[in-house]
Amino acid sequence: MKFSFIILSVLFIATPAESAVQSKCIGLDRTQQPADRMLKARLEQDAAFGRCLATASPVQRGDLVLEELPFARGPKRDSGIVCLGCYQFLQFGEDGDSLDRCELCDWPLCGLCASGDDVTDHGGECEVFATARVTFAGNVSDDGVCSQLDCITPLRVLLAKEANPERWESQVAPMEHHEEERKKDADLWHADRVNIAQYLRGPCKLSARFSEELIMQVVGVLEVNAFEARTPRGYPLRGLYPYTGILAHNCVPNTARSIYPSEGYKIRLRAMVDLEEGQALHHSYTYTLDGTAQRQKHLQQGKFFSCQCDRCQDPSELGTHFSSLKCGQCAEGYQVPRQPTDPDTSWNCSSCAAISSNDDVQTLLQSLQAEVNAVQALEMGAKRLEEAERLLRKYKSLLHPLHFIATGLRQLLIEMYGRVQGYEMVQLPDHQLERKAELCRQVLRVLNTFEPGLSRTRAMNLYELHVPLVLLAKNGFIAGGLGGGELRTRLVDAIDLLKECVEILECEDKSSQEGVLCGVAKQALKQLTISVEGLGSELD
């Protein structure tokens, strides 16, 4: 039965970037589609969340509940010098010298966008800059930021307001912009007034069209509500989606969003799990694999609110102990925050009377995170992998096994096992294959709680898990430790992992990282299924 493994032995050499994808999900013709479609969602007014979305009918896992085109899109805030057509990073000389400039307005535009026939995002501001004769200086700060480009995306929103006043009034104008909270950061508020509002009204000669109050409102709307997207080549940008942007936050989301560069950066919102009619639609505006204190800090700084969801209120984070520390006074206990959303909370042991202050806990975590950051900064290779394993062993006496810092190290190791020199997948001994599989299972245990259902992060870990399982089954069979029936059972288990991976990623944009991985997973699923069918015939 050796033929069954001819394909499997080389199945994992290809990487997602090397595989083409054909998605079954077909989008609408952009020339005919509306700006938005509320398929299974409705707009509601909630006492706690304000304007938000809820299901208009019962929704099954994977159902499309909403899709919409961006009101406007453009460079991210605090970016370097990027092409205003395709967002790729451009190199300018210290004195601003570069050939990558628009021939009409002289602002950054790569040669391909400048010479191509395709319409780019640059047209609107090009006319403004050319008419006002404002030049692009090309100055970049020591940290690589070109503040002159901070005006681009707000200007595109303002121009879209003029082009589509009805959508502005009904969808964008009501969006939260937290003006009073933003004013508390006096330095940032002043920088936005000077670099964006006063620049557009002064040198760009737009004072008759846009008031300073309106411009600062737009800056706030973008800051609070915009989503990051990626071009087909992986360059970042941001888009303003009026309905998706008002989704209520929850640290255990029930929806997943996907952005499609090939369809004008349309966003689609799908249910991750089954939902009842009238159930609130939630998304997470912070990283779900951060601890409660870290998520709260991010939301306060970037979104200007404190989360009070069930996960944030639970000291054990829904039983995962994702932020819990090993107690230093007893062998069995874990220290958890008494009031998780209170920055002055104490940390109490679950088994003894030991108490630590929040300041002491956060100082410890910052020290550990600094060590992790140093490992992450190492060049991709064997030393990086071995240092990550060393830290994970070191932290066993300090952290709960599922703590977010330990989980982050596991994700780092999953990425490296099978990819770095000296640890290539087909060369890993069985104990290291078992190690990779266990790392995947531990991360999935957390994800099954925090991102249940159709989660892209779950899909990637499911794909990573199937690889060592197949190789372990192959090695066990060749060594005589597995019979044909047990071999087939283990391969079927791997097939089930791939099926769920494909189900989750099926409708991602085919040019995205997730869409490419879906194509690789489909190919692996097909080849593995053929091998199992052949194995079954031989067993018969």
Side-chain angles (χ1 to χ4, degrees):
M1 288 185 279
K2 291 182 180 179
F3 82 95
S4 300
F5 296 107
I6 293 175
I7 295 176
L8 297 181
S9 64
V10 298
L11 182 60
F12 317 108
I13 295 176
T15 62
E18 296 167 342
S19 179
V21 182
Q22 293 296 326
S23 173
K24 291 198 313 185
C25 297
I26 301 174
L28 295 173
D29 180 352
R30 275 180 290 164
T31 62
Q32 299 177 2
Q33 61 186 320
D36 58 78
R37 293 202 304 162
M38 300 276 276
L39 299 168
K40 292 190 175 183
R42 69 186 182 211
L43 190 63
E44 290 195 344
Q45 190 73 27
D46 182 87
F49 299 115
R51 294 170 69 247
C52 59
L53 299 178
T55 54
S57 60
V59 173
Q60 293 185 331
R61 156 177 158 153
D63 281 356
L64 182 64
V65 296
L66 166 68
E67 62 179 11
E68 64 176 328
L69 290 166
F71 186 75
R73 60 180 185 260
K76 293 182 65 178
R77 183 193 183 97
D78 296 332
S79 74
I81 299 178
V82 300
C83 172
L84 298 181
C86 67
Y87 307 102
Q88 69 169 298
F89 297 103
L90 301 178
Q91 293 292 333
F92 273 54
E94 291 185 3
D95 56 357
D97 284 348
S98 175
L99 297 177
D100 291 317
R101 289 179 178 267
C102 173
E103 63 179 12
L104 297 178
C105 69
D106 207 39
W107 280 60
L109 204 65
C110 72
L112 188 61
C113 288
S115 62
D117 294 329
D118 293 339
V119 177
T120 72
D121 296 339
H122 174 55
E125 72 263 11
C126 179
E127 182 179 349
V128 171
F129 297 150
T131 301
R133 296 184 179 180
V134 289
T135 59
F136 178 72
N139 297 327
V140 177
S141 63
D142 292 340
D143 56 358
V145 173
C146 178
S147 59
Q148 194 173 2
L149 292 185
D150 285 347
C151 73
I152 297 296
T153 309
L155 175 55
R156 290 180 181 177
V157 173
L158 293 165
L159 296 176
K161 172 185 179 293
E162 291 183 329
N164 195 344
E166 292 182 0
R167 193 179 182 200
W168 164 269
E169 289 296 336
S170 62
Q171 298 179 14
V172 181
M175 298 183 82
E176 187 59 73
H177 52 98
H178 292 290
E179 180 174 321
E180 293 307 315
E181 290 86 348
R182 287 165 48 233
K183 283 182 177 179
K184 294 176 183 178
D185 188 337
D187 291 341
L188 184 59
W189 180 265
H190 176 71
D192 286 343
R193 284 189 66 231
V194 173
N195 295 333
I196 302 175
Q198 293 178 6
Y199 183 74
L200 292 178
R201 285 172 51 80
C204 295
K205 301 178 181 179
L206 296 175
S207 59
R209 294 164 65 178
F210 309 121
S211 67
E212 181 174 306
E213 180 183 11
L214 173 62
I215 295 172
M216 294 302 286
Q217 176 188 350
V218 166
V219 172
V221 166
L222 285 167
E223 199 66 23
V224 175
N225 301 284
F227 289 114
E228 179 177 312
R230 294 271 171 174
T231 71
R233 296 171 62 188
Y235 300 116
L237 66 149
R238 57 177 170 169
L240 181 61
Y241 299 89
Y243 282 134
T244 313
I246 63 171
L247 279 171
H249 166 81
N250 195 292
C251 293
V252 182
N254 59 22
T255 64
R257 66 178 187 266
S258 301
I259 295 177
Y260 297 77
S262 61
E263 299 180 49
Y265 291 89
K266 172 179 281 189
I267 198 168
R268 290 192 173 97
L269 192 72
R270 287 185 168 83
M272 296 172 64
V273 294
D274 293 345
L275 301 172
E276 300 175 355
E277 181 178 356
Q279 190 167 343
L281 294 172
H282 295 139
H283 201 76
S284 177
Y285 293 102
T286 187
Y287 185 43
T288 57
L289 295 185
D290 270 341
T292 296
Q294 290 67 35
R295 298 193 313 278
Q296 290 285 341
K297 181 178 179 181
H298 176 264
L299 291 170
Q300 285 281 7
Q301 291 179 345
K303 302 297 181 180
F304 306 102
F305 70 84
S306 174
C307 179
Q308 303 295 322
C309 71
D310 291 343
R311 177 184 171 189
C312 285
Q313 297 283 359
D314 182 358
S316 73
E317 296 204 41
L318 307 181
T320 64
H321 287 278
F322 203 54
S323 295
S324 302
L325 308 178
K326 289 276 287 185
C327 179
Q329 304 299 318
C330 68
E332 297 83 17
Y334 291 99
Q335 288 193 323
V336 299
R338 184 177 180 184
Q339 296 176 310
T341 59
D342 183 355
D344 297 321
T345 184
S346 61
W347 289 66
N348 300 0
C349 177
S350 56
S351 296
C352 70
I355 297 177
S356 297
S357 71
N358 191 50
D359 287 343
D360 289 343
V361 168
Q362 297 308 320
T363 298
L364 171 64
L365 293 179
Q366 288 170 11
S367 175
L368 302 187
Q369 191 63 59
E371 292 182 321
V372 173
N373 293 344
V375 170
Q376 288 178 317
L378 293 174
E379 183 179 352
M380 189 76 153
K383 181 179 179 181
R384 189 170 185 254
L385 184 150
E386 291 156 6
E387 283 295 298
E389 286 282 23
R390 181 184 67 81
L391 289 185
L392 206 49
R393 291 192 298 271
K394 174 183 176 181
Y395 296 163
K396 281 185 178 180
S397 62
L398 300 172
L399 307 175
H400 186 278
L402 295 182
H403 191 276
F404 70 88
I405 289 180
T407 298
L409 284 168
R410 291 190 184 97
Q411 289 183 294
L412 201 62
L413 288 164
I414 290 168
E415 176 188 357
M416 290 188 287
Y417 272 116
R419 292 183 175 89
V420 303
Q421 187 173 3
Y423 292 89
E424 290 86 352
M425 186 62 70
V426 293
Q427 297 176 356
L428 292 181
D430 281 4
H431 74 276
Q432 289 179 344
L433 291 171
E434 292 280 9
R435 176 60 174 157
K436 172 154 183 162
E438 179 58 24
L439 291 167
C440 291
R441 291 189 185 100
Q442 289 175 311
V443 173
L444 282 166
R445 179 180 169 187
V446 171
L447 288 171
N448 290 341
T449 300
F450 297 153
E451 296 186 18
L454 302 184
S455 153
R456 286 189 291 269
T457 311
R458 283 190 66 249
M460 292 180 177
N461 279 273
L462 290 169
Y463 181 86
E464 292 285 348
L465 175 57
H466 101 277
V467 178
L469 295 187
V470 172
L471 289 178
L472 284 166
K474 168 191 170 181
N475 294 346
F477 178 74
I478 292 175
L482 288 182
E486 179 63 20
L487 169 65
R488 188 178 189 279
T489 297
R490 295 195 182 189
L491 295 182
V492 169
D493 289 342
I495 285 176
D496 289 341
L497 296 175
L498 285 172
K499 285 182 177 178
E500 186 173 7
C501 173
V502 170
E503 178 196 5
I504 294 171
L505 301 179
E506 182 73 51
C507 293
E508 295 294 324
D509 191 290
K510 65 181 181 180
S511 66
S512 68
Q513 178 186 359
E514 296 84 2
V516 172
L517 177 60
C518 182
V520 176
K522 284 182 180 179
Q523 181 185 9
L525 178 60
K526 179 180 178 181
Q527 292 178 338
L528 193 55
T529 302
I530 291 172
S531 297
V532 169
E533 290 173 350
L535 179 62
S537 299
E538 289 210 356
L539 290 175
D540 292 340

